[in-house]
């Protein structure tokens, strides 16, 4: 049984080396620039934004926020399944609360990036030092791998440059080979994992992780579909398309490690892909998507905090 700390102690450290502090300031500066660029975009489209807001269907908008919050809860189930796949036992509410900490800490003044916070939380759970970094890499790789599936299922392959298709196909193949490497019981693979200090996984729990990630992407996609519905553009972009759009914009934001939560990069990706389908409304959609996403994250934080386990035995 995993020896877990009290929930209130699951707070990622905000201190670190000089290199980390320099990196934090770089991210803050990049985040400020991205925020200013988004603000400039808003100022340029004030008239369209006011018209769209006045015509919004607020029922669909509320559903979008609720589904974003639900998506984060499902993401925490995927993280709990990741720990379970290595033989750890973590209560759902504790996995939810600790996962929420590491996701939201990136927004705090002086906060550290979400992935580094996730590593810090894992340390407090008692995970071996050699496994912490690999757990983050594996989790983000599985999330990206399942996102690529929705990108192609959503029909975006014909709307992006051929080199991007080949990169995503290569990423999918590498991810598939990585799954075989992680779960194979062949002696050669086991020795390599031991040498590289990579945690071993059993096949069935990994399938559960992938299942939760697929469900999570579908829920996030539903949230963005409700957002499209609130703007009356759902006829131009269907559920699978908008899910694939969010998935590829999430990957772009993940790769752009210099901005907090992919700020600016995610929106630029959405606008570039969506503009040929809905015209200038793509800009409004991307801006509203960020607001809805943030509101859903805050909703998830509040509910996770209210339901957090008070004592852990």
């Amino acid at each position: 049984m995993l020896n877990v700390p009290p929930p209130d102690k699951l707070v990622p450290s905000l201190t670190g080396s000089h290199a980390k502090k320099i990196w934090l300031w770089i991210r803050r500066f990049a985040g400020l620039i991205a925020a200013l660029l988004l603000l400039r975009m808003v100022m340029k489209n004030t008239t369209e934004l006011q018209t769209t807001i006045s015509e919004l269907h607020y029922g669909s908008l509320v559903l979008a926020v609720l589904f974003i919050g639900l998506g984060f809860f499902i993401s925490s189930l995927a993280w709990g399944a990741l720990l379970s796949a290595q033989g750890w036992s973590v209560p759902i509410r504790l996995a939810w609360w600790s996962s929420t900490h590491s996701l939201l800490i990136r927004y705090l003044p002086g906060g550290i990036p979400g992935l580094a916070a996730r590593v810090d939380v894992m340390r407090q759970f008692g995970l071996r030092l050699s496994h912490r970094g690999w757990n983050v890499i594996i989790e983000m790789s599985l999330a990206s791998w399942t996102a690529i599936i929705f990108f192609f299922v959503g029909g975006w392959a014909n709307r992006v440059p051929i080199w991007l298709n080949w990169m995503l196909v290569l990423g999918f193949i590498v991810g598939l080979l990585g799954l075989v490497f992680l779960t194979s019981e062949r002696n050669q693979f086991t020795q390599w994992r031991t040498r590289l200090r990579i945690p071993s996984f059993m096949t069935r729990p990994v399938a559960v992780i992938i299942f939760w990630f697929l469900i999570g992407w579908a829920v996030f996609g539903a949230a963005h579909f409700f957002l499209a519905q609130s703007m009356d553009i759902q006829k131009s972009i269907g559920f699978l398309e908008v899910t694939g759009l969010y998935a590829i914009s999430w990957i772009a934001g993940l790769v752009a490690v210099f901005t907090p939560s992919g700020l600016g990069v995610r929106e630029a990706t959405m606008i570039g892909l969506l503009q040929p389908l809905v015209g200038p409304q793509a800009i409004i959609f991307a801006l509203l998507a960020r607001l809805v996403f943030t509101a859903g994250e805050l909703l998830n934080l509040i509910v996770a905090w209210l339901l957090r386990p008070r004592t852990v035995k």
Side-chain angles (χ1 to χ4, degrees):
M1 183 68 70
L2 178 60
N3 181 24
V4 294
D8 293 336
K9 297 297 183 182
L10 289 174
V11 180
S13 171
L14 299 181
T15 60
S17 63
H18 290 296
K20 182 186 285 187
K21 290 177 182 177
I22 292 171
W23 177 243
L24 289 178
W25 280 107
I26 291 173
R27 282 176 58 88
R28 287 173 190 160
F29 180 73
L32 177 62
I33 296 297
L36 290 174
L37 289 174
L38 288 176
L39 181 61
R40 183 185 177 191
M41 198 180 296
V42 170
M43 299 301 291
K44 279 188 174 182
N45 297 273
T46 304
T47 305
E48 287 130 352
L49 186 60
Q50 288 175 342
T51 304
T52 303
I53 290 175
S54 65
E55 297 175 354
L56 278 176
H57 302 293
Y58 288 98
S60 298
L61 198 64
V62 170
L63 283 174
V65 173
L66 292 175
F67 268 71
I68 290 291
L70 179 61
F72 277 109
F73 170 69
I74 292 173
S75 297
S76 69
L77 295 180
W79 184 54
L82 181 74
L83 297 176
S84 297
Q86 300 168 68
W88 303 99
S89 178
V90 182
I92 291 176
R93 287 194 298 167
L94 187 57
W96 185 14
W97 176 233
S98 60
S99 176
T100 302
H101 257 147
S102 60
L103 285 169
L104 270 294
I105 197 73
R106 59 191 167 186
Y107 288 119
L108 294 177
I112 55 180
L115 298 185
R118 182 69 58 90
V119 173
D120 212 19
V121 169
M122 286 180 177
R123 175 183 59 77
Q124 295 176 50
F125 268 109
L127 281 173
R128 288 174 52 192
L129 175 63
S130 58
H131 286 180
R132 280 182 233 147
W134 281 114
N135 272 283
V136 172
I137 292 171
I138 291 166
E139 182 188 16
M140 290 300 103
S141 298
L142 287 174
S144 302
W145 188 69
T146 47
I148 291 172
I149 293 174
F150 276 102
F151 171 80
F152 285 111
V153 171
W156 289 100
N158 297 326
R159 299 171 185 169
V160 299
I162 188 68
W163 62 265
L164 180 57
N165 279 308
W166 281 113
M167 282 185 66
L168 292 174
V169 169
L170 179 62
F172 184 83
I173 293 172
V174 170
L176 195 61
L177 293 174
L179 285 175
V180 174
F181 175 72
L182 287 175
T183 58
S184 176
E185 295 181 1
R186 292 184 59 179
N187 289 334
Q188 190 174 9
F189 288 151
T190 304
Q191 290 173 2
W192 284 348
R193 287 198 300 265
T194 303
R195 243 180 243 168
L196 296 172
R197 298 183 178 180
I198 299 175
S200 296
F201 291 84
M202 294 174 286
T203 304
R204 187 175 176 181
V206 168
V208 173
I209 301 169
I210 293 172
F211 169 78
W212 284 123
F213 272 126
L214 290 173
I215 296 297
W217 284 119
V219 171
F220 281 126
H224 286 77
F225 181 75
F226 284 128
L227 176 59
Q229 199 173 52
S230 73
M231 295 175 60
D232 272 333
I233 61 172
Q234 72 275 13
K235 292 180 181 178
S236 301
I237 180 167
F239 167 72
L240 288 177
E241 284 180 305
V242 78
T243 305
L245 173 69
Y246 172 69
I248 191 62
S249 66
W250 180 87
I251 291 176
L254 179 67
V255 173
V257 294
F258 48 86
T259 62
S261 192
L263 186 65
V265 177
R266 190 185 295 173
E267 287 73 28
T269 305
M270 278 189 179
I271 293 168
L273 291 174
L274 195 56
Q275 211 156 26
L277 297 177
V278 300
Q281 283 187 303
I283 298 173
I284 311 301
F285 179 87
L287 293 173
L288 287 176
R290 172 61 68 175
L291 294 176
V292 166
F293 189 84
T294 303
E297 264 191 314
L298 292 174
L299 174 65
N300 173 66
L301 173 64
I302 292 169
V303 177
W305 181 79
L306 290 173
L307 298 179
R308 73 193 188 282
R310 302 307 171 99
T311 58
V312 182
K313 295 181 180 180

